[in-house]
Amino acid sequence: MKILVTGTTGYIGKRLVPLLIEEGHKVVCVVRDKLRAEEWYKNEPLITVVEADFLQKDTLSTIPKDIDIAYYLIHSMSNSSSNFKSLEEECAINFKNYIEETNTQQVIYLSGITNDPKLSMHLSSRKLVEETLASNKYALTTFRAGIIVGSGSSSFEIIRDLVEKLPIMVAPKWLDTKTQPLAVRDVLLFLSKAIVKKELYNKGIDIFGPDVLTYKQMLLQFAEVRGLKRSIITVPVMTPKLSSYWLYFVTSTSYKLATTLVKSMGVEIIGKPSDINSILNIKPITYKEAVQLAFEKIEQNSILSSWKDSIISSGRLKANLHKYINVPKYGCFTDYKERKVTNKTKTINKIWAIGGPTGWYYGTILWKFRGYLDKLFGGIGLRRGRTSSTDLSAGDALDFWRVIFADKEQQKLLLYAEMKLPGEAWLEFKIEENILKQTATFRPRGLAGRLYWYSVLPFHMFIFNGMINKLVAK
């Protein structure tokens, strides 16, 4: 079949597309930025990448009309806009109106469990989107999931940070809220097996794992899997704002996402039983099994997607990646260094492993200090790390940088700074004629930007000299 997938660069979409390809379907990936998806799928003949934004109706003409099935995977946990709900609704309306003009017979939508009468803004928006997508021109199948557990998922990474960093936790009372976590493996099975299942047409079904757990129990079971002893004390006096700061400073999440999660975690996410497991022949695995499976993927360095790679996770990039690919030259400060490369393959591999657990090769304490300062002033800090220890693609998060361009054949890596800055910064590594050219570019904003550049210039000379020397070392 010809299948349209929206949200292709998201956590679920990036994992769903390979499954559909394995089953022999042709997949049309709709993205707001072709630069990211085209790099991932450039050698896959069954995939077509089109650029469109469902908040801009005039961009939708790029989407083909001969679609059989469409997946609606568009949703933002990090958007804190005051008109967030209306934007979600507008996006769904534009999707529906366009899809009704195609040959699509079924739309499959991944939503959230919304059975609690007191819903958070994000869960109520998902419910509104489900109501908006209903149509008499195509059949709508809605899967409502709770907490999704898998390598790279926001819930998994936040729990991992809390468990591995805090032997004793004094935690908010919402840790006693009940939920039914579901492995990402099972979410993908539900989504892929629902294609042309007429018994699921125009139905909304809750999907969930076999365990009913509080968040506290999830943390403790996670600790058991990791072989760690942890104590958790819940207190009733921690306000939502304090709870958000608690998550923000201890975990790798952004403050916006922490705030959203805290608001959602006060809501019980318990699904309504149905016969969906028998219809699709799926037996969801337990929470502990999901955690163990996630760590197997991590150990094999085979994490397909991560919530950290979402462009909106930092809020610094205001446009598509290609808007940042041409590094400005005028009105900028630069730190340029070059060295002769004796082993090109070794140097390229070092560049592609930079950041995350590997670090930045020189002045590690200074890099960490800059990360702490960034976190203190509301930035993302260094704790995002990187999704893969050896591979980089356009759009990937890399500590407090974003990958704008990464091509080993062209021997070029371009990063854009997402830390708090009075301006904009790029860091480029490029090999030309056996010469490694390392360029840090800063475009200041006002007097503060200029003062910032001169204040850090001595540290740059120390760090960047050491870094390029390490990159070309035998």
Side-chain angles (χ1 to χ4, degrees):
M1 290 191 161
K2 194 166 188 177
I3 299 178
L4 182 79
V5 180
T6 62
T8 309
T9 58
Y11 179 72
I12 297 295
K14 196 173 178 182
R15 295 177 181 231
L16 179 62
V17 170
L19 284 182
L20 299 176
I21 293 300
E22 284 178 16
E23 293 170 7
H25 300 297
K26 294 179 180 179
V27 179
V28 178
C29 297
V30 183
V31 295
R32 284 182 296 181
D33 189 352
K34 285 182 74 172
L35 185 62
R36 297 184 71 186
E38 280 184 331
E39 185 176 336
W40 299 336
Y41 304 128
K42 59 186 176 184
N43 297 319
E44 181 49 70
L46 291 176
I47 292 179
T48 303
V49 179
V50 298
E51 192 170 270
D53 185 344
F54 284 100
L55 286 174
Q56 300 179 32
K57 289 188 284 187
D58 57 337
T59 67
L60 305 185
S61 59
T62 58
I63 302 172
K65 301 279 188 178
D66 57 338
I67 298 296
D68 299 307
I69 306 292
Y71 283 92
Y72 191 82
L73 304 175
I74 302 171
H75 187 74
S76 167
M77 282 294 289
S78 299
N79 196 327
S80 60
S81 171
S82 57
N83 61 339
F84 167 79
K85 203 168 180 179
S86 62
L87 290 174
E88 291 272 282
E89 184 180 20
E90 182 184 351
C91 193
I93 289 170
N94 291 339
F95 171 88
K96 173 185 174 179
N97 291 342
Y98 189 85
I99 294 301
E100 285 184 336
E101 297 175 4
T102 70
N103 300 330
T104 303
Q105 56 182 298
Q106 182 188 21
V107 169
I108 301 172
Y109 168 48
L110 180 62
S111 182
I113 293 176
T114 54
N115 298 325
D116 194 299
K118 295 183 296 180
L119 295 177
S120 66
M121 178 182 69
H122 282 266
L123 284 175
S124 61
S125 75
R126 291 192 177 193
K127 189 174 183 179
L128 176 62
V129 167
E130 180 181 343
E131 295 165 357
T132 304
L133 291 176
S135 171
N136 56 13
K137 296 285 183 68
Y138 57 75
L140 176 65
T141 300
T142 302
F143 287 118
R144 308 185 191 109
I147 299 295
I148 297 175
V149 181
S151 57
S153 74
S154 58
S155 55
F156 176 87
E157 295 297 339
I158 288 169
I159 290 171
R160 181 185 182 184
D161 279 342
L162 291 172
V163 170
E164 301 203 355
K165 293 176 182 177
L166 302 176
I168 300 174
M169 298 179 221
V170 179
K173 62 182 178 180
W174 48 253
L175 252 66
D176 293 324
T177 304
K178 292 179 181 178
T179 185
Q180 284 182 283
L182 181 64
V184 66
R185 184 205 72 163
D186 294 322
V187 174
L188 296 170
L189 285 175
F190 281 115
L191 291 172
S192 59
K193 286 190 171 188
I195 294 172
V196 200
K197 286 284 185 181
K198 293 189 177 179
E199 56 265 58
L200 302 182
Y201 282 10
N202 299 314
K203 286 189 177 180
I205 308 110
D206 292 350
I207 53 175
F208 44 85
D211 303 313
V212 177
L213 302 170
T214 64
Y215 290 106
K216 181 177 179 179
Q217 289 171 325
M218 288 174 65
L219 288 165
L220 292 174
Q221 287 194 17
F222 193 103
E224 284 180 34
V225 172
R226 297 294 286 155
L228 299 169
K229 290 185 178 181
R230 294 294 181 257
S231 298
I232 303 174
I233 304 166
T234 55
V235 293
V237 293
M238 197 175 287
T239 65
K241 193 167 187 177
L242 281 174
S243 296
S244 300
Y245 280 120
W246 180 68
L247 280 183
Y248 171 64
F249 282 111
V250 176
T251 73
S252 56
T253 184
S254 66
Y255 181 71
K256 287 181 181 179
L257 182 55
T259 303
T260 301
L261 289 171
V262 166
K263 290 176 181 177
S264 299
M265 285 172 171
V267 179
E268 278 202 352
I269 304 177
I270 305 297
K272 292 179 179 178
S274 69
D275 56 355
I276 186 63
N277 292 352
S278 58
I279 290 173
L280 298 182
N281 192 27
I282 297 172
K283 185 180 179 181
I285 62 177
T286 66
Y287 171 68
K288 275 190 173 181
E289 288 173 321
V291 173
Q292 288 166 342
L293 185 61
F295 275 103
E296 286 176 18
K297 296 291 184 184
I298 292 168
E299 288 164 7
Q300 295 164 7
N301 196 32
S302 56
I303 304 175
L304 291 178
S305 61
S306 171
W307 72 274
K308 299 172 188 176
D309 293 332
S310 168
I311 294 294
I312 58 173
S313 69
S314 71
R316 285 284 293 174
L317 270 69
K318 305 299 181 185
N320 291 349
L321 294 181
H322 67 267
K323 300 289 185 182
Y324 299 88
I325 203 166
N326 294 315
V327 182
K329 297 186 182 299
Y330 300 103
C332 297
F333 296 110
T334 60
D335 183 301
Y336 174 78
K337 291 173 173 54
E338 63 177 50
R339 298 287 188 276
K340 187 176 180 180
V341 177
T342 54
N343 187 326
K344 194 180 292 185
T345 301
K346 189 174 182 179
T347 296
I348 283 288
N349 288 338
K350 283 183 180 179
I351 293 170
W352 251 251
I354 204 165
T358 303
W360 293 81
Y361 297 112
Y362 198 78
T364 301
I365 293 175
L366 292 174
W367 283 101
K368 286 183 177 180
F369 180 69
R370 182 62 180 88
Y372 294 141
L373 281 180
D374 192 55
K375 198 79 173 174
L376 186 63
F377 286 94
I380 53 179
L382 282 176
R383 285 183 286 189
R384 285 192 311 190
R386 48 183 292 161
T387 301
S388 168
S389 61
T390 55
D391 297 323
L392 289 175
S393 299
D396 285 357
L398 180 57
D399 290 340
F400 45 40
W401 301 87
R402 178 74 59 179
V403 178
I404 301 298
F405 183 84
D407 191 318
K408 279 190 173 182
E409 292 180 8
Q410 294 187 38
Q411 301 173 60
K412 177 181 173 180
L413 174 66
L414 178 64
L415 308 176
Y416 178 83
E418 293 193 295
M419 72 282 276
K420 291 282 185 179
L421 285 171
E424 295 179 282
W426 288 258
L427 181 59
E428 182 182 74
F429 303 93
K430 181 169 58 175
I431 296 178
E432 291 181 343
E433 297 179 354
N434 289 326
I435 300 295
L436 172 59
K437 299 179 178 181
Q438 174 187 285
T439 310
T441 302
F442 181 68
R443 181 161 61 185
R445 186 172 60 248
L447 178 61
R450 287 157 175 80
L451 291 174
Y452 171 82
W453 175 260
Y454 288 114
S455 68
V456 298
L457 194 56
F459 301 103
H460 281 181
M461 292 176 65
F462 175 73
I463 290 172
F464 290 145
N465 261 318
M467 183 165 65
I468 194 170
N469 288 337
K470 290 285 188 180
L471 290 173
V472 299
K474 293 181 181 179

